[in-house]
Amino acid sequence: MSRSSVRRDGVHGERPGRQAPGGQGTATTAPLARGRRRGRGGEELMVPGAEFTSYYGRPIIKRPTWRARDIAGYFFLGGLAGAGSVVAAGAGATGRPVMARALKVSSLAAVTGSAAALVHDLGRPARFAHMLRVLRPTSPMSVGSWLLSAYGPAAGAAAVLDLTGRLPRLGRAATGSAALLGSAVAAYTAVLAADTAVPAWHDGYRELPFVFTGSATLAASGMALLASPVGENAPAVAGALLGTAVETAAVVTMERRLGMIAEPYRHGRGGRLMRAATALSAAGAAGAVLRARRSRSAAALSGALLLAASACTRFGVFHAGVASADDPKYTVLPQRERLRRRAEEAAAASTAE
Amino acid sequence: MSSIIGRNLLAGAEPDPAGDAGHGPDHPPRVGFFTDTSVCIGCKACEVACKEWNAVPEDGLALTGMSYDNTQGLSADSWRHVAFVEQSRPLGPPAPADAADRPVDPAAAPDHSGVDVFALAAGQPAAAGAPDLPARAADSAAGAAPAPPSPDGRTELRWLMSSDVCKHCTHAACLDVCPTGALFRTEFGTVVVQQDICNGCGYCVPACPYGVIGQREQDGRVFKCTLCYDRLGAGMEPACAKACPTESIQFGPLDELRRRAAARVDQLHAAGVPEAALYGADPGDGVGGDGAFFLLLDAPEVYGLPPDPVVTTRDLPAMWRQAGYAAASLLGGLAAVFAACGTHRKGPR
Ligand code: SF4
Ligand code: SF4
Ligand code: SF4
């Protein structure tokens, strides 16, 4: 922390101003200067302009203990599985058997992987069954666990019955229920993230579900492009466009509405991943529209780009959230602003009387 | 206890959280802490007592340079945390008559950055290199404020100390989001983790608006203050409150504590400490009021507390609604795509 050393003849080295400043939070109401690096762990505590005070620059809320690979990976795989089941049902209903089968299989693989990631992330993996000990509607993780335990078998049955060709009636029922439950699986993970005190997640709760379903549509369309013959892939191309449009619109709306809390979506690791996602989805969608109906390899390449785009979005959202939890300004300043507005409203109400 | 049907249990004032959690009508009154930071001396007896009573393991040995605070914050292995804030301004307003209509302005606080404490300790005159001393001297001649390090060794240092703890929120986000039911509301209205149930999913950790609960890495489970559930059950007060030598940590039924705290604020205001304010005592706030609330002498964020915490589940109905729309639009959008592309016909194009 401190880089100074005390010797007999005095103190040498850096002695950063490590006084926790006094003050009343924001003096200014302006959205913060962006990108200002704040010292962590006791250095650079005096903020110029005294617009923001904190306790030695330490975070106020705790960052998620989740590992990015597990939980962002879970978001990605859950979306791929869920939207994949919807695409599989659509492909099955419109006479595209190769696409339908491929997505049923990929959904089964993805949901298995996502469950494994969830269990792996537990502090006590052996106690994973405690997830189904209660059903708690206020806990998106509880709701999600029950959802997954209904969706998983449905997706599994759909895939296995398609591959074996057995019990076609039951197979159609499984495909249909997997599609219905799958759409919920793809959307609920946004609530899972938003139902925390993490500013970039919580405050984005209006748009985040659309970011996630858009991203899931991208992933499933990408998988469909990757796995189906060109003759069948028209819906996958349209799905790629739809997913790109929904996701981009949702991200733009969210960033505009969030104001300064959107900074972690634009800067740092989260920002880099979000930008990569935009570039990859644009390239993937363009490739899909221009070449995927003609060339099998172009379709596969576009599909891979779209899958990568979806993964980047999930990791981007994850890292943006962590960054917003780590910097106390994202917790303090919006709350200060809220208090100020409330005080203003109260003052206005009392003068109106 | 009124019926819980048809009431908003996610936010707002809730007079009887234990009753609403299913404890019978004869459950004991809700208890909590009133932490009066104006009398805290930073002895950390509470930290030690908590560690000892609850056998909380060592939480890392670090020299942080954050005043006398090497604990740094609440975590799985620190259930009490004493914050130390050093400020260059006196406690309460200076004596003069115009004090009342002068706002407390941190920028006007004396700047000690030019003061060489080693020179002072060696007995040399303080004036060398202290840029604002002449101005301050003029100030003190006018009776505005005493000058910094004066010959008797007194300074204008204001040292704020505050013992932080789990707030045992009326609407506890940690409890609301716990998927296993490991976190529960006790008959005392407090919030406790059942260690044999917690599977370490970690959801409660980012959900707490105060950053209280934490995961113990080697163990995998989460831990936090239990408000000494075991001691309460035996009719004893919590270890930290028991150990506090200045009654900074006051334990008792919440109603009584709220009355006592209001009286203390009035007393401090009358004594010329206008910045004394309660934090977390209002049942109408974003978490429905804290079971453990505080009297602070500066803005909450100065102590590392959020200025206006809100329980995340207050917005949960809106979140589920949005997710419902998103799921429906996913289904609808892809259905439209397949409808538009039509049925695929086999054979060469
Ligand atoms: S939400 Fe945080 S402060 Fe409130 S009871 Fe839970 S751990 Fe304690
Ligand atoms: S980590 Fe334990 S206490 Fe926290 S939400 Fe998960 S199961 Fe509940
Ligand atoms: S009430 Fe008990 S568990 Fe909580 S901080 Fe005090 S001593 Fe620790």
Side-chain angles (χ1 to χ4, degrees):
Chain A
M1 306 262 151
S2 161
R3 276 184 281 278
S4 62
S5 62
V6 182
R7 300 192 209 127
R8 275 170 173 274
D9 54 335
V11 181
H12 297 264
E14 230 180 295
R15 271 177 286 168
R18 56 164 76 110
Q19 178 173 275
Q24 300 295 325
T26 34
T28 63
T29 61
L32 275 204
R34 76 164 53 134
R36 195 184 59 226
R37 305 271 322 157
R38 287 193 44 76
R40 299 259 327 273
E43 285 170 6
E44 272 181 16
L45 304 175
M46 299 292 275
V47 180
E51 61 196 349
F52 162 61
T53 51
S54 74
Y55 187 67
Y56 299 100
R58 289 184 53 82
I60 287 196
I61 61 162
K62 285 223 162 22
R63 59 147 62 190
T65 54
W66 300 329
R67 282 174 287 246
R69 201 179 35 138
D70 286 341
I71 297 303
Y74 165 70
F75 291 169
F76 167 70
L77 290 175
L80 174 60
S85 289
V86 182
V87 172
T94 57
R96 294 176 170 87
V98 183
M99 183 190 276
R101 177 170 296 173
L103 282 162
K104 282 174 193 170
V105 172
S106 79
S107 286
L108 174 59
V111 73
T112 311
S114 71
L118 269 191
V119 172
H120 181 251
D121 196 61
L122 294 179
R124 288 284 174 105
R127 289 187 181 170
F128 73 92
H130 285 192
M131 282 294 184
L132 301 181
R133 189 178 159 263
V134 292
L135 169 58
R136 183 172 273 184
T138 59
S139 171
M141 198 180 278
S142 169
V143 174
S145 301
W146 286 99
L147 192 58
L148 273 185
S149 56
Y151 168 76
V160 170
L161 294 178
D162 189 330
L163 286 174
T164 57
R166 298 262 185 106
L167 308 171
R169 188 98 58 77
L170 190 60
R172 274 196 298 279
T175 307
S177 14
L180 284 177
L181 293 166
S183 67
V185 168
Y188 104 88
T189 44
V191 184
L192 181 70
D195 195 25
T196 60
V198 174
W201 292 345
H202 180 95
D203 290 41
Y205 73 83
R206 284 176 205 281
E207 296 86 6
L208 217 46
F210 293 93
V211 177
F212 276 30
T213 50
S215 175
T217 308
L218 270 189
S221 306
M223 185 54 85
L225 283 170
L226 201 58
S228 34
V230 275
E232 284 187 19
N233 68 13
V237 174
L241 283 179
L242 176 73
T244 309
V246 169
E247 190 199 294
T248 311
V251 169
V252 168
T253 321
M254 178 168 79
E255 289 191 1
R256 190 163 312 148
R257 197 173 59 80
L258 288 188
M260 61 93 60
I261 304 179
E263 273 175 24
Y265 287 112
R266 300 203 187 99
H267 301 278
R269 204 162 174 191
R272 280 197 298 280
L273 284 159
M274 294 304 278
R275 277 193 299 279
T278 311
L280 286 167
S281 61
V289 170
L290 297 176
R291 306 277 311 147
R293 304 289 339 264
R294 268 161 288 168
S295 149
R296 183 73 186 82
S297 52
L301 178 65
S302 314
L305 288 175
L306 293 170
L307 282 166
S310 175
C312 281
T313 304
R314 307 314 179 101
F315 279 83
V317 169
F318 186 89
H319 286 295
V322 171
S324 77
D326 277 346
D327 193 330
K329 81 177 176 191
Y330 300 115
T331 302
V332 172
L333 288 177
Q335 296 191 8
R336 271 274 150 229
E337 177 63 15
R338 203 154 66 204
L339 287 174
R340 193 190 59 80
R341 234 175 315 145
R342 216 181 296 148
E344 257 176 28
E345 272 160 27
S350 69
T351 48
E353 269 165 25
Chain B
M1 185 184 62
S2 53
S3 161
I4 60 169
I5 309 296
R7 274 200 294 136
N8 180 4
L9 292 169
L10 294 179
E14 190 178 343
D16 182 20
D20 293 342
H23 293 286
D26 52 348
H27 67 78
R30 185 176 179 194
V31 295
F33 289 127
F34 164 43
T35 304
D36 179 355
T37 69
S38 69
V39 293
C40 179
I41 54 172
C43 68
K44 304 197 198 186
C46 50
E47 281 192 18
V48 176
C50 178
K51 285 241 170 202
E52 287 294 333
W53 179 263
N54 296 295
V56 181
E58 182 245 308
D59 51 1
L61 298 171
L63 287 174
T64 61
M66 293 157 50
S67 189
Y68 283 26
D69 180 5
N70 289 326
T71 308
Q72 301 182 53
L74 295 173
S75 69
D77 299 331
S78 302
W79 301 355
R80 269 275 174 198
H81 161 238
V82 183
F84 288 78
V85 179
E86 295 181 32
Q87 294 176 335
S88 298
R89 61 163 141 144
L91 181 64
D98 66 340
D101 42 65
R102 225 176 23 176
V104 182
D105 176 8
D111 176 13
H112 290 177
S113 55
V115 177
D116 188 342
V117 288
F118 289 94
L120 284 173
Q124 287 155 19
D132 71 330
L133 275 189
R136 302 299 309 178
D139 238 21
S140 70
S150 61
D152 66 356
R154 290 170 62 92
T155 70
E156 281 184 335
L157 179 73
R158 178 167 90 144
W159 206 352
L160 302 177
M161 295 140 198
S162 166
S163 181
D164 195 13
V165 70
C166 168
K167 318 296 178 291
H168 295 275
C169 310
T170 303
H171 297 286
C174 60
L175 193 161
D176 283 351
V177 305
C178 175
T180 64
L183 277 152
F184 76 110
R185 177 85 53 188
T186 72
E187 64 273 33
F188 299 101
T190 57
V191 179
V192 176
V193 191
Q194 300 177 75
Q195 298 303 350
D196 54 340
I197 302 297
C198 173
N199 66 6
C201 73
Y203 202 8
C204 49
V205 174
C208 169
Y210 300 94
V212 169
I213 196 164
Q215 191 175 33
R216 198 172 282 169
E217 249 166 62
Q218 285 74 35
D219 184 284
R221 295 173 297 175
V222 300
F223 295 83
K224 73 168 189 74
C225 161
T226 66
L227 219 133
C228 283
Y229 191 34
D230 50 348
R231 290 175 65 94
L232 295 189
M236 299 200 295
E237 74 174 308
C240 52
K242 184 101 195 162
C244 179
T246 63
E247 299 279 312
S248 172
I249 300 173
Q250 301 177 25
F251 166 80
L254 201 54
D255 300 336
E256 185 197 321
L257 291 178
R258 283 183 178 150
R259 279 196 299 278
R260 228 191 279 169
R264 175 66 180 158
V265 171
D266 291 344
Q267 191 186 19
L268 281 172
H269 286 177
V273 188
E275 62 266 46
L278 294 182
Y279 174 81
D282 176 11
D285 72 12
V287 297
D290 293 332
F293 63 98
F294 301 80
L295 185 155
L296 302 180
L297 298 174
D298 207 328
E301 57 268 31
V302 170
Y303 297 89
L305 296 164
D308 182 34
V310 172
V311 57
T312 180
T313 37
R314 187 188 68 181
D315 300 321
L316 191 59
M319 292 180 204
W320 282 127
R321 190 191 61 219
Q322 293 296 104
Y325 292 154
S329 67
L330 171 69
L331 277 177
L334 284 174
V337 160
F338 279 100
C341 292
T343 303
H344 178 65
R345 260 171 288 279
K346 277 262 154 63
R349 294 196 303 141

